[in-house]
Short mmCIF file of all heavy atoms in Angstrom, two decimals:
data_model
loop_
_atom_site.label_atom_id
_atom_site.label_comp_id
_atom_site.label_asym_id
_atom_site.label_seq_id
_atom_site.Cartn_x
_atom_site.Cartn_y
_atom_site.Cartn_z
N MET A 1 -7.21 48.13 -26.23
CA MET A 1 -8.27 47.66 -27.07
C MET A 1 -8.15 46.16 -27.19
O MET A 1 -9.12 45.43 -27.26
CB MET A 1 -8.03 48.31 -28.47
CG MET A 1 -9.06 47.97 -29.43
SD MET A 1 -10.64 48.77 -28.97
CE MET A 1 -11.64 48.21 -30.19
N ALA A 2 -6.91 45.61 -27.18
CA ALA A 2 -6.62 44.12 -27.29
C ALA A 2 -7.21 43.46 -26.06
O ALA A 2 -7.77 42.27 -26.17
CB ALA A 2 -5.19 43.82 -27.51
N ALA A 3 -7.07 44.10 -24.97
CA ALA A 3 -7.68 43.38 -23.76
C ALA A 3 -9.18 43.20 -23.89
O ALA A 3 -9.69 42.27 -23.37
CB ALA A 3 -7.29 44.29 -22.48
N GLN A 4 -9.83 44.35 -24.41
CA GLN A 4 -11.23 44.26 -24.49
C GLN A 4 -11.68 43.12 -25.47
O GLN A 4 -12.67 42.39 -25.31
CB GLN A 4 -11.85 45.57 -25.00
CG GLN A 4 -11.82 46.59 -24.01
CD GLN A 4 -12.33 47.94 -24.49
OE1 GLN A 4 -12.41 48.11 -25.67
NE2 GLN A 4 -12.74 48.83 -23.60
N ASP A 5 -10.88 42.97 -26.57
CA ASP A 5 -11.19 41.80 -27.55
C ASP A 5 -11.09 40.56 -26.93
O ASP A 5 -11.82 39.60 -27.23
CB ASP A 5 -10.19 41.93 -28.77
CG ASP A 5 -10.51 43.16 -29.64
OD1 ASP A 5 -11.62 43.75 -29.54
OD2 ASP A 5 -9.55 43.65 -30.33
N THR A 6 -10.04 40.37 -26.01
CA THR A 6 -9.89 39.07 -25.40
C THR A 6 -10.97 38.81 -24.33
O THR A 6 -11.48 37.65 -24.26
CB THR A 6 -8.51 39.06 -24.62
OG1 THR A 6 -7.49 39.34 -25.54
CG2 THR A 6 -8.24 37.75 -23.96
N ALA A 7 -11.38 39.86 -23.76
CA ALA A 7 -12.47 39.71 -22.74
C ALA A 7 -13.81 39.43 -23.50
O ALA A 7 -14.67 38.78 -22.84
CB ALA A 7 -12.61 41.03 -21.94
N VAL A 8 -13.99 39.85 -24.64
CA VAL A 8 -15.23 39.66 -25.33
C VAL A 8 -15.40 38.35 -25.98
O VAL A 8 -16.49 37.89 -26.39
CB VAL A 8 -15.49 40.91 -26.36
CG1 VAL A 8 -16.73 40.69 -27.09
CG2 VAL A 8 -15.44 42.25 -25.70
N GLN A 9 -14.20 37.60 -26.20
CA GLN A 9 -14.30 36.35 -26.90
C GLN A 9 -15.33 35.42 -26.18
O GLN A 9 -15.38 35.29 -25.07
CB GLN A 9 -12.91 35.65 -26.73
CG GLN A 9 -11.85 36.21 -27.65
CD GLN A 9 -10.61 35.41 -27.66
OE1 GLN A 9 -10.37 34.60 -26.63
NE2 GLN A 9 -9.74 35.61 -28.58
N SER A 10 -16.05 34.76 -27.10
CA SER A 10 -17.02 33.81 -26.49
C SER A 10 -16.41 32.51 -26.01
O SER A 10 -15.16 32.18 -26.42
CB SER A 10 -18.13 33.54 -27.59
OG SER A 10 -17.44 32.68 -28.64
N ASN A 11 -17.05 31.70 -25.23
CA ASN A 11 -16.64 30.50 -24.80
C ASN A 11 -16.31 29.55 -25.86
O ASN A 11 -15.38 28.76 -25.90
CB ASN A 11 -17.63 29.96 -23.77
CG ASN A 11 -17.59 30.53 -22.47
OD1 ASN A 11 -16.66 31.21 -22.08
ND2 ASN A 11 -18.63 30.44 -21.75
N GLY A 12 -17.03 29.54 -26.95
CA GLY A 12 -16.92 28.72 -28.18
C GLY A 12 -15.58 28.95 -28.84
O GLY A 12 -14.86 28.10 -29.23
N SER A 13 -15.19 30.27 -29.06
CA SER A 13 -13.96 30.62 -29.73
C SER A 13 -12.79 30.27 -28.85
O SER A 13 -11.74 29.78 -29.41
CB SER A 13 -13.88 32.13 -30.09
OG SER A 13 -13.88 32.84 -28.99
N ARG A 14 -12.99 30.38 -27.52
CA ARG A 14 -11.83 29.97 -26.55
C ARG A 14 -11.63 28.50 -26.61
O ARG A 14 -10.59 28.05 -26.67
CB ARG A 14 -12.10 30.49 -25.12
CG ARG A 14 -11.80 31.93 -25.09
CD ARG A 14 -11.76 32.35 -23.61
NE ARG A 14 -13.22 32.64 -23.23
CZ ARG A 14 -13.62 32.73 -21.99
NH1 ARG A 14 -12.87 32.67 -21.01
NH2 ARG A 14 -14.97 33.03 -21.83
N GLY A 15 -12.82 27.70 -26.72
CA GLY A 15 -12.72 26.32 -26.77
C GLY A 15 -12.03 25.84 -28.07
O GLY A 15 -11.24 24.90 -28.04
N ARG A 16 -12.45 26.44 -29.16
CA ARG A 16 -11.69 26.05 -30.49
C ARG A 16 -10.29 26.45 -30.42
O ARG A 16 -9.48 25.66 -30.98
CB ARG A 16 -12.40 26.75 -31.67
CG ARG A 16 -13.83 26.22 -31.93
CD ARG A 16 -14.34 26.81 -33.29
NE ARG A 16 -14.66 28.18 -33.17
CZ ARG A 16 -15.81 28.61 -32.65
NH1 ARG A 16 -16.76 27.85 -32.33
NH2 ARG A 16 -16.10 29.97 -32.64
N ARG A 17 -9.95 27.52 -29.86
CA ARG A 17 -8.48 27.91 -29.79
C ARG A 17 -7.76 26.88 -28.93
O ARG A 17 -6.63 26.49 -29.37
CB ARG A 17 -8.37 29.34 -29.25
CG ARG A 17 -6.89 29.73 -29.05
CD ARG A 17 -6.75 31.14 -28.51
NE ARG A 17 -5.39 31.44 -28.35
CZ ARG A 17 -4.94 32.30 -27.41
NH1 ARG A 17 -5.75 33.00 -26.68
NH2 ARG A 17 -3.67 32.56 -27.28
N PHE A 18 -8.35 26.50 -27.78
CA PHE A 18 -7.72 25.55 -26.97
C PHE A 18 -7.50 24.15 -27.67
O PHE A 18 -6.34 23.65 -27.64
CB PHE A 18 -8.58 25.29 -25.72
CG PHE A 18 -8.17 24.19 -24.87
CD1 PHE A 18 -7.07 24.35 -24.02
CD2 PHE A 18 -8.85 22.95 -24.95
CE1 PHE A 18 -6.64 23.29 -23.22
CE2 PHE A 18 -8.37 21.95 -24.03
CZ PHE A 18 -7.28 22.06 -23.24
N LEU A 19 -8.46 23.76 -28.37
CA LEU A 19 -8.41 22.47 -29.17
C LEU A 19 -7.31 22.60 -30.23
O LEU A 19 -6.60 21.65 -30.50
CB LEU A 19 -9.72 21.99 -29.74
CG LEU A 19 -10.78 21.61 -28.66
CD1 LEU A 19 -12.08 21.36 -29.34
CD2 LEU A 19 -10.26 20.43 -27.89
N ARG A 20 -7.12 23.64 -30.82
CA ARG A 20 -6.18 23.91 -31.83
C ARG A 20 -4.76 23.87 -31.22
O ARG A 20 -3.81 23.12 -31.74
CB ARG A 20 -6.36 25.24 -32.66
CG ARG A 20 -7.32 25.24 -33.78
CD ARG A 20 -7.18 26.50 -34.58
NE ARG A 20 -7.10 27.74 -33.91
CZ ARG A 20 -8.15 28.46 -33.58
NH1 ARG A 20 -9.37 28.08 -33.97
NH2 ARG A 20 -7.93 29.64 -32.88
N GLU A 21 -4.62 24.53 -30.05
CA GLU A 21 -3.35 24.37 -29.38
C GLU A 21 -3.05 23.04 -28.90
O GLU A 21 -1.82 22.66 -28.99
CB GLU A 21 -3.44 25.43 -28.13
CG GLU A 21 -3.39 26.84 -28.65
CD GLU A 21 -3.50 27.81 -27.55
OE1 GLU A 21 -3.51 27.41 -26.35
OE2 GLU A 21 -3.50 29.00 -27.88
N VAL A 22 -3.99 22.38 -28.44
CA VAL A 22 -3.80 20.90 -27.99
C VAL A 22 -3.26 20.00 -29.13
O VAL A 22 -2.40 19.32 -29.12
CB VAL A 22 -5.10 20.32 -27.38
CG1 VAL A 22 -5.08 18.78 -27.20
CG2 VAL A 22 -5.43 20.91 -26.06
N LYS A 23 -4.00 20.25 -30.32
CA LYS A 23 -3.55 19.48 -31.55
C LYS A 23 -2.14 19.85 -31.89
O LYS A 23 -1.35 18.87 -32.26
CB LYS A 23 -4.57 19.81 -32.65
CG LYS A 23 -4.35 18.96 -33.97
CD LYS A 23 -5.34 19.37 -34.92
CE LYS A 23 -5.15 18.57 -36.26
NZ LYS A 23 -6.15 18.90 -37.19
N ALA A 24 -1.86 21.07 -31.89
CA ALA A 24 -0.34 21.42 -32.16
C ALA A 24 0.56 20.91 -31.25
O ALA A 24 1.64 20.42 -31.67
CB ALA A 24 -0.31 23.02 -32.17
N GLU A 25 0.38 20.80 -30.03
CA GLU A 25 1.23 20.30 -28.91
C GLU A 25 1.43 18.76 -29.17
O GLU A 25 2.38 18.22 -28.93
CB GLU A 25 0.78 20.62 -27.46
CG GLU A 25 0.90 22.08 -27.22
CD GLU A 25 2.41 22.43 -27.07
OE1 GLU A 25 3.16 21.74 -26.64
OE2 GLU A 25 2.62 23.55 -27.59
N LEU A 26 0.18 18.12 -29.43
CA LEU A 26 0.37 16.68 -29.63
C LEU A 26 1.19 16.25 -30.92
O LEU A 26 1.73 15.14 -30.99
CB LEU A 26 -1.12 16.09 -29.82
CG LEU A 26 -1.90 16.08 -28.51
CD1 LEU A 26 -3.37 15.54 -28.81
CD2 LEU A 26 -1.20 15.06 -27.56
N LYS A 27 1.31 17.21 -31.85
CA LYS A 27 2.21 16.97 -33.04
C LYS A 27 3.61 16.99 -32.74
O LYS A 27 4.43 16.43 -33.28
CB LYS A 27 1.89 17.91 -34.11
CG LYS A 27 0.58 17.75 -34.81
CD LYS A 27 0.35 18.67 -35.98
CE LYS A 27 -0.96 18.41 -36.66
NZ LYS A 27 -1.20 19.36 -37.69
N LYS A 28 3.97 17.65 -31.52
CA LYS A 28 5.29 17.78 -31.03
C LYS A 28 5.80 16.52 -30.26
O LYS A 28 7.00 16.42 -29.96
CB LYS A 28 5.47 18.93 -30.17
CG LYS A 28 5.24 20.29 -30.98
CD LYS A 28 5.30 21.53 -30.00
CE LYS A 28 4.94 22.75 -30.59
NZ LYS A 28 5.05 23.85 -29.64
N VAL A 29 4.78 15.73 -29.75
CA VAL A 29 5.09 14.61 -28.91
C VAL A 29 5.91 13.52 -29.72
O VAL A 29 5.58 13.30 -30.80
CB VAL A 29 3.77 14.01 -28.37
CG1 VAL A 29 4.06 12.75 -27.65
CG2 VAL A 29 3.05 14.95 -27.50
N SER A 30 6.84 12.95 -29.00
CA SER A 30 7.70 11.94 -29.53
C SER A 30 6.95 10.59 -29.18
O SER A 30 7.18 10.07 -28.11
CB SER A 30 9.12 11.96 -29.00
OG SER A 30 9.81 10.88 -29.42
N TRP A 31 6.23 10.01 -30.07
CA TRP A 31 5.46 8.86 -29.80
C TRP A 31 6.37 7.65 -29.82
O TRP A 31 7.10 7.53 -30.72
CB TRP A 31 4.17 8.72 -30.66
CG TRP A 31 3.23 9.79 -30.56
CD1 TRP A 31 3.13 10.91 -31.36
CD2 TRP A 31 2.35 10.03 -29.48
NE1 TRP A 31 2.09 11.70 -30.96
CE2 TRP A 31 1.59 11.21 -29.80
CE3 TRP A 31 1.94 9.22 -28.38
CZ2 TRP A 31 0.57 11.68 -28.88
CZ3 TRP A 31 0.98 9.76 -27.49
CH2 TRP A 31 0.31 10.96 -27.79
N PRO A 32 6.10 6.59 -29.01
CA PRO A 32 6.88 5.44 -29.03
C PRO A 32 6.54 4.56 -30.18
O PRO A 32 5.38 4.56 -30.73
CB PRO A 32 6.58 4.61 -27.74
CG PRO A 32 5.19 5.18 -27.30
CD PRO A 32 5.23 6.56 -27.86
N THR A 33 7.49 3.77 -30.73
CA THR A 33 7.19 2.85 -31.74
C THR A 33 6.49 1.61 -31.17
O THR A 33 6.27 1.55 -29.97
CB THR A 33 8.45 2.23 -32.41
OG1 THR A 33 9.19 1.53 -31.48
CG2 THR A 33 9.28 3.38 -32.98
N LYS A 34 5.73 0.81 -32.08
CA LYS A 34 5.06 -0.39 -31.56
C LYS A 34 5.88 -1.22 -30.72
O LYS A 34 5.50 -1.74 -29.66
CB LYS A 34 4.52 -1.16 -32.82
CG LYS A 34 3.57 -2.27 -32.35
CD LYS A 34 2.98 -2.97 -33.60
CE LYS A 34 2.16 -4.07 -33.15
NZ LYS A 34 1.50 -4.65 -34.37
N GLN A 35 7.14 -1.46 -31.12
CA GLN A 35 8.10 -2.36 -30.38
C GLN A 35 8.43 -1.75 -29.00
O GLN A 35 8.42 -2.48 -27.99
CB GLN A 35 9.38 -2.64 -31.17
CG GLN A 35 10.27 -3.71 -30.52
CD GLN A 35 9.49 -4.97 -30.32
OE1 GLN A 35 8.77 -5.55 -31.27
NE2 GLN A 35 9.75 -5.63 -29.23
N GLU A 36 8.67 -0.47 -28.96
CA GLU A 36 8.86 0.24 -27.66
C GLU A 36 7.77 0.15 -26.72
O GLU A 36 7.90 -0.16 -25.56
CB GLU A 36 9.23 1.64 -27.93
CG GLU A 36 10.60 1.94 -28.52
CD GLU A 36 10.75 3.36 -28.80
OE1 GLU A 36 9.89 4.09 -29.24
OE2 GLU A 36 12.01 3.73 -28.82
N LEU A 37 6.47 0.32 -27.30
CA LEU A 37 5.33 0.16 -26.61
C LEU A 37 5.15 -1.19 -25.89
O LEU A 37 4.79 -1.33 -24.75
CB LEU A 37 4.09 0.61 -27.40
CG LEU A 37 2.74 0.65 -26.63
CD1 LEU A 37 2.78 1.72 -25.59
CD2 LEU A 37 1.62 0.98 -27.68
N ILE A 38 5.43 -2.23 -26.75
CA ILE A 38 5.31 -3.63 -26.28
C ILE A 38 6.27 -3.83 -25.12
O ILE A 38 6.03 -4.41 -24.11
CB ILE A 38 5.41 -4.53 -27.37
CG1 ILE A 38 4.24 -4.45 -28.30
CG2 ILE A 38 5.56 -5.97 -26.90
CD1 ILE A 38 4.46 -5.21 -29.65
N SER A 39 7.51 -3.28 -25.32
CA SER A 39 8.58 -3.48 -24.44
C SER A 39 8.25 -2.79 -23.13
O SER A 39 8.37 -3.30 -21.95
CB SER A 39 9.80 -2.94 -24.92
OG SER A 39 10.95 -3.01 -24.07
N TYR A 40 7.80 -1.55 -23.13
CA TYR A 40 7.47 -0.74 -22.02
C TYR A 40 6.26 -1.36 -21.15
O TYR A 40 6.25 -1.36 -19.97
CB TYR A 40 7.10 0.72 -22.30
CG TYR A 40 8.29 1.44 -22.96
CD1 TYR A 40 8.00 2.58 -23.69
CD2 TYR A 40 9.63 1.10 -22.73
CE1 TYR A 40 9.01 3.31 -24.27
CE2 TYR A 40 10.62 1.90 -23.26
CZ TYR A 40 10.31 2.87 -24.10
OH TYR A 40 11.35 3.67 -24.61
N THR A 41 5.36 -1.96 -21.88
CA THR A 41 4.22 -2.57 -21.30
C THR A 41 4.66 -3.76 -20.58
O THR A 41 4.18 -4.09 -19.44
CB THR A 41 3.14 -2.93 -22.39
OG1 THR A 41 2.72 -1.73 -23.03
CG2 THR A 41 1.96 -3.59 -21.74
N GLY A 42 5.62 -4.58 -21.08
CA GLY A 42 6.15 -5.74 -20.48
C GLY A 42 6.87 -5.37 -19.16
O GLY A 42 6.78 -6.00 -18.16
N VAL A 43 7.64 -4.27 -19.21
CA VAL A 43 8.36 -3.81 -18.06
C VAL A 43 7.37 -3.39 -16.88
O VAL A 43 7.66 -3.75 -15.71
CB VAL A 43 9.30 -2.61 -18.45
CG1 VAL A 43 9.84 -1.97 -17.14
CG2 VAL A 43 10.37 -3.06 -19.34
N VAL A 44 6.36 -2.77 -17.26
CA VAL A 44 5.43 -2.40 -16.24
C VAL A 44 4.69 -3.61 -15.70
O VAL A 44 4.52 -3.70 -14.44
CB VAL A 44 4.31 -1.36 -16.90
CG1 VAL A 44 3.15 -1.09 -15.95
CG2 VAL A 44 4.97 -0.01 -17.30
N PHE A 45 4.37 -4.48 -16.53
CA PHE A 45 3.61 -5.70 -16.13
C PHE A 45 4.44 -6.50 -15.16
O PHE A 45 3.99 -6.88 -14.11
CB PHE A 45 3.08 -6.59 -17.28
CG PHE A 45 2.47 -7.78 -16.92
CD1 PHE A 45 1.14 -7.73 -16.45
CD2 PHE A 45 3.09 -9.10 -16.94
CE1 PHE A 45 0.45 -8.89 -16.17
CE2 PHE A 45 2.37 -10.19 -16.66
CZ PHE A 45 1.06 -10.13 -16.16
N VAL A 46 5.72 -6.65 -15.46
CA VAL A 46 6.59 -7.46 -14.62
C VAL A 46 6.96 -6.71 -13.24
O VAL A 46 6.89 -7.26 -12.27
CB VAL A 46 8.02 -7.85 -15.36
CG1 VAL A 46 8.99 -8.26 -14.35
CG2 VAL A 46 7.72 -8.71 -16.57
N SER A 47 7.00 -5.39 -13.34
CA SER A 47 7.17 -4.60 -12.13
C SER A 47 6.02 -4.66 -11.21
O SER A 47 6.25 -4.88 -9.99
CB SER A 47 7.40 -3.17 -12.52
OG SER A 47 8.67 -2.99 -13.36
N VAL A 48 4.80 -4.54 -11.68
CA VAL A 48 3.73 -4.71 -10.88
C VAL A 48 3.59 -6.08 -10.31
O VAL A 48 3.23 -6.20 -9.07
CB VAL A 48 2.42 -4.30 -11.75
CG1 VAL A 48 1.15 -4.67 -11.01
CG2 VAL A 48 2.34 -2.88 -12.09
N LEU A 49 3.86 -7.10 -11.06
CA LEU A 49 3.84 -8.48 -10.58
C LEU A 49 4.85 -8.70 -9.36
O LEU A 49 4.51 -9.29 -8.42
CB LEU A 49 4.07 -9.37 -11.72
CG LEU A 49 3.94 -10.92 -11.37
CD1 LEU A 49 2.55 -11.16 -11.04
CD2 LEU A 49 4.30 -11.72 -12.59
N VAL A 50 6.07 -8.18 -9.62
CA VAL A 50 7.08 -8.26 -8.57
C VAL A 50 6.70 -7.56 -7.29
O VAL A 50 6.81 -8.05 -6.13
CB VAL A 50 8.45 -7.73 -9.03
CG1 VAL A 50 9.47 -7.57 -7.95
CG2 VAL A 50 8.95 -8.73 -10.13
N ILE A 51 6.20 -6.39 -7.38
CA ILE A 51 5.75 -5.53 -6.23
C ILE A 51 4.60 -6.23 -5.61
O ILE A 51 4.51 -6.25 -4.34
CB ILE A 51 5.42 -4.09 -6.66
CG1 ILE A 51 6.58 -3.38 -7.17
CG2 ILE A 51 4.81 -3.37 -5.43
CD1 ILE A 51 7.75 -3.25 -6.24
N ALA A 52 3.69 -6.80 -6.33
CA ALA A 52 2.45 -7.51 -5.73
C ALA A 52 2.95 -8.72 -4.95
O ALA A 52 2.45 -8.98 -3.86
CB ALA A 52 1.51 -7.90 -6.82
N ILE A 53 3.81 -9.52 -5.52
CA ILE A 53 4.39 -10.67 -4.75
C ILE A 53 5.14 -10.23 -3.57
O ILE A 53 5.06 -10.91 -2.43
CB ILE A 53 5.29 -11.52 -5.70
CG1 ILE A 53 4.42 -12.12 -6.84
CG2 ILE A 53 6.04 -12.46 -5.00
CD1 ILE A 53 5.22 -12.85 -7.92
N LEU A 54 5.86 -9.16 -3.59
CA LEU A 54 6.70 -8.69 -2.43
C LEU A 54 5.66 -8.26 -1.34
O LEU A 54 5.82 -8.65 -0.11
CB LEU A 54 7.54 -7.48 -2.85
CG LEU A 54 8.30 -6.84 -1.74
CD1 LEU A 54 9.45 -7.85 -1.22
CD2 LEU A 54 9.07 -5.53 -2.30
N ILE A 55 4.65 -7.43 -1.65
CA ILE A 55 3.62 -7.06 -0.65
C ILE A 55 2.91 -8.27 -0.09
O ILE A 55 2.66 -8.29 1.14
CB ILE A 55 2.61 -6.13 -1.33
CG1 ILE A 55 3.36 -4.72 -1.59
CG2 ILE A 55 1.44 -5.78 -0.40
CD1 ILE A 55 2.56 -3.76 -2.32
N TRP A 56 2.45 -9.32 -1.01
CA TRP A 56 1.87 -10.43 -0.43
C TRP A 56 2.77 -11.19 0.57
O TRP A 56 2.33 -11.68 1.54
CB TRP A 56 1.46 -11.35 -1.67
CG TRP A 56 1.01 -12.75 -1.26
CD1 TRP A 56 -0.21 -13.11 -0.71
CD2 TRP A 56 1.77 -13.96 -1.26
NE1 TRP A 56 -0.27 -14.32 -0.49
CE2 TRP A 56 0.89 -14.91 -0.72
CE3 TRP A 56 3.12 -14.29 -1.61
CZ2 TRP A 56 1.24 -16.26 -0.68
CZ3 TRP A 56 3.36 -15.61 -1.47
CH2 TRP A 56 2.62 -16.60 -1.01
N GLY A 57 4.05 -11.31 0.15
CA GLY A 57 4.98 -11.96 1.17
C GLY A 57 5.13 -11.28 2.55
O GLY A 57 5.13 -11.92 3.53
N ILE A 58 5.26 -10.02 2.43
CA ILE A 58 5.31 -9.27 3.76
C ILE A 58 4.08 -9.36 4.45
O ILE A 58 4.09 -9.57 5.65
CB ILE A 58 5.68 -7.70 3.38
CG1 ILE A 58 7.03 -7.53 2.79
CG2 ILE A 58 5.44 -6.83 4.62
CD1 ILE A 58 7.35 -6.17 2.21
N ASP A 59 2.89 -9.33 3.81
CA ASP A 59 1.64 -9.45 4.45
C ASP A 59 1.54 -10.83 5.15
O ASP A 59 1.09 -11.05 6.27
CB ASP A 59 0.52 -9.21 3.51
CG ASP A 59 -0.88 -9.47 4.13
OD1 ASP A 59 -1.10 -8.75 5.18
OD2 ASP A 59 -1.64 -10.22 3.70
N LEU A 60 2.08 -11.88 4.46
CA LEU A 60 2.02 -13.24 4.96
C LEU A 60 2.87 -13.38 6.20
O LEU A 60 2.41 -14.09 7.19
CB LEU A 60 2.49 -14.22 3.78
CG LEU A 60 2.35 -15.68 4.14
CD1 LEU A 60 0.90 -16.11 4.24
CD2 LEU A 60 2.98 -16.43 3.03
N VAL A 61 4.04 -12.79 6.14
CA VAL A 61 4.98 -12.82 7.33
C VAL A 61 4.22 -12.13 8.50
O VAL A 61 4.30 -12.66 9.61
CB VAL A 61 6.32 -12.30 6.96
CG1 VAL A 61 7.16 -12.02 8.26
CG2 VAL A 61 7.04 -13.07 5.98
N TYR A 62 3.71 -10.90 8.31
CA TYR A 62 3.18 -10.36 9.42
C TYR A 62 1.90 -10.96 9.94
O TYR A 62 1.75 -10.97 11.16
CB TYR A 62 2.72 -8.88 9.02
CG TYR A 62 3.81 -7.83 8.92
CD1 TYR A 62 4.00 -6.92 7.87
CD2 TYR A 62 4.70 -7.83 10.00
CE1 TYR A 62 4.96 -5.98 7.87
CE2 TYR A 62 5.74 -6.82 10.01
CZ TYR A 62 5.87 -6.00 8.89
OH TYR A 62 6.99 -5.08 8.89
N ALA A 63 1.12 -11.62 9.04
CA ALA A 63 0.03 -12.44 9.65
C ALA A 63 0.50 -13.59 10.46
O ALA A 63 -0.20 -13.85 11.42
CB ALA A 63 -0.78 -12.88 8.37
N LYS A 64 1.54 -14.28 10.06
CA LYS A 64 2.01 -15.42 10.74
C LYS A 64 2.58 -14.84 12.12
O LYS A 64 2.19 -15.52 13.17
CB LYS A 64 3.17 -16.14 9.96
CG LYS A 64 2.79 -16.79 8.75
CD LYS A 64 2.07 -18.06 9.02
CE LYS A 64 1.83 -18.72 7.65
NZ LYS A 64 1.04 -19.90 7.73
N LEU A 65 3.28 -13.73 12.06
CA LEU A 65 3.84 -13.18 13.37
C LEU A 65 2.59 -12.77 14.36
O LEU A 65 2.76 -13.06 15.58
CB LEU A 65 4.76 -12.03 13.09
CG LEU A 65 6.08 -12.43 12.57
CD1 LEU A 65 6.79 -11.12 12.17
CD2 LEU A 65 6.93 -13.27 13.46
N LEU A 66 1.61 -12.17 13.80
CA LEU A 66 0.54 -11.70 14.66
C LEU A 66 -0.16 -12.93 15.15
O LEU A 66 -0.59 -12.98 16.33
CB LEU A 66 -0.42 -10.91 13.76
CG LEU A 66 -1.61 -10.21 14.51
CD1 LEU A 66 -0.96 -9.21 15.46
CD2 LEU A 66 -2.49 -9.55 13.42
N LYS A 67 -0.33 -14.00 14.40
CA LYS A 67 -0.98 -15.20 14.90
C LYS A 67 -0.19 -15.86 16.03
O LYS A 67 -0.71 -16.28 17.04
CB LYS A 67 -1.10 -16.15 13.77
CG LYS A 67 -2.20 -17.23 13.98
CD LYS A 67 -2.30 -18.04 12.62
CE LYS A 67 -3.69 -17.97 12.10
NZ LYS A 67 -3.85 -18.89 10.98
N ILE A 68 1.23 -15.85 15.96
CA ILE A 68 2.04 -16.34 17.02
C ILE A 68 1.81 -15.59 18.24
O ILE A 68 1.74 -16.09 19.38
CB ILE A 68 3.54 -16.39 16.53
CG1 ILE A 68 3.74 -17.47 15.48
CG2 ILE A 68 4.47 -16.66 17.69
CD1 ILE A 68 5.09 -17.28 14.72
N PHE A 69 1.82 -14.26 18.16
CA PHE A 69 1.71 -13.31 19.38
C PHE A 69 0.31 -13.53 20.01
O PHE A 69 0.21 -13.35 21.25
CB PHE A 69 2.10 -11.91 19.11
CG PHE A 69 3.58 -11.75 18.83
CD1 PHE A 69 4.01 -11.29 17.55
CD2 PHE A 69 4.40 -12.01 19.82
CE1 PHE A 69 5.44 -11.03 17.53
CE2 PHE A 69 5.77 -11.77 19.65
CZ PHE A 69 6.29 -11.34 18.47
N ILE A 70 -0.67 -13.66 19.22
CA ILE A 70 -2.09 -13.76 19.69
C ILE A 70 -2.26 -15.04 20.44
O ILE A 70 -2.92 -15.19 21.56
CB ILE A 70 -3.02 -13.49 18.63
CG1 ILE A 70 -2.99 -12.10 18.16
CG2 ILE A 70 -4.48 -13.91 19.11
CD1 ILE A 70 -3.98 -11.81 16.90
N ASN A 71 -1.67 -16.07 19.97
CA ASN A 71 -1.93 -17.48 20.51
C ASN A 71 -1.09 -17.65 21.82
O ASN A 71 -1.28 -18.67 22.52
CB ASN A 71 -1.53 -18.58 19.53
CG ASN A 71 -2.56 -18.64 18.46
OD1 ASN A 71 -3.73 -18.25 18.57
ND2 ASN A 71 -2.14 -19.20 17.24
N LYS A 72 -0.09 -16.81 22.15
CA LYS A 72 0.55 -16.99 23.44
C LYS A 72 -0.21 -16.59 24.59
O LYS A 72 -0.98 -15.94 24.86
CB LYS A 72 1.85 -16.03 23.36
CG LYS A 72 2.93 -16.66 22.48
CD LYS A 72 4.15 -15.86 22.64
CE LYS A 72 5.28 -16.52 21.86
NZ LYS A 72 6.65 -15.90 21.95
#
């Protein structure tokens, strides 16, 4: 009987149940403090900047090497 009740549930009631469960799960999340968020954002920004500079440098070296080999 329970299986039939589950099968008969409308999309609306399943949607409401899903949203209630999402809300309950979000209450369990350990959210960062404002200071932690600022700190983590800084770490990400610096990391992206370092990687971008590294990729730019490697690209520059390869471009120079390619130019040397093409001009020979």
Side-chain angles (χ1 to χ4, degrees):
M1 186 71 180
Q4 288 178 345
D5 291 340
T6 305
V8 177
Q9 284 183 346
S10 68
N11 286 336
S13 66
R14 281 190 278 169
R16 284 189 294 276
R17 179 177 175 208
F18 172 75
L19 291 176
R20 277 195 311 270
E21 290 175 2
V22 167
K23 187 176 178 182
E25 289 298 320
L26 285 175
K27 287 181 180 178
K28 297 176 186 177
V29 173
S30 173
W31 296 101
T33 64
K34 185 176 181 179
Q35 189 58 42
E36 288 174 331
L37 186 61
I38 291 169
S39 175
Y40 297 156
T41 302
V43 168
V44 169
F45 182 73
V46 169
S47 300
V48 168
L49 189 63
V50 167
I51 297 298
I53 290 171
L54 181 65
I55 291 172
W56 172 76
I58 292 170
D59 182 55
L60 187 66
V61 169
Y62 281 136
K64 296 279 185 187
L65 289 173
L66 188 60
K67 205 177 236 186
I68 290 171
F69 286 121
I70 290 176
N71 288 336
K72 283 188 173 183

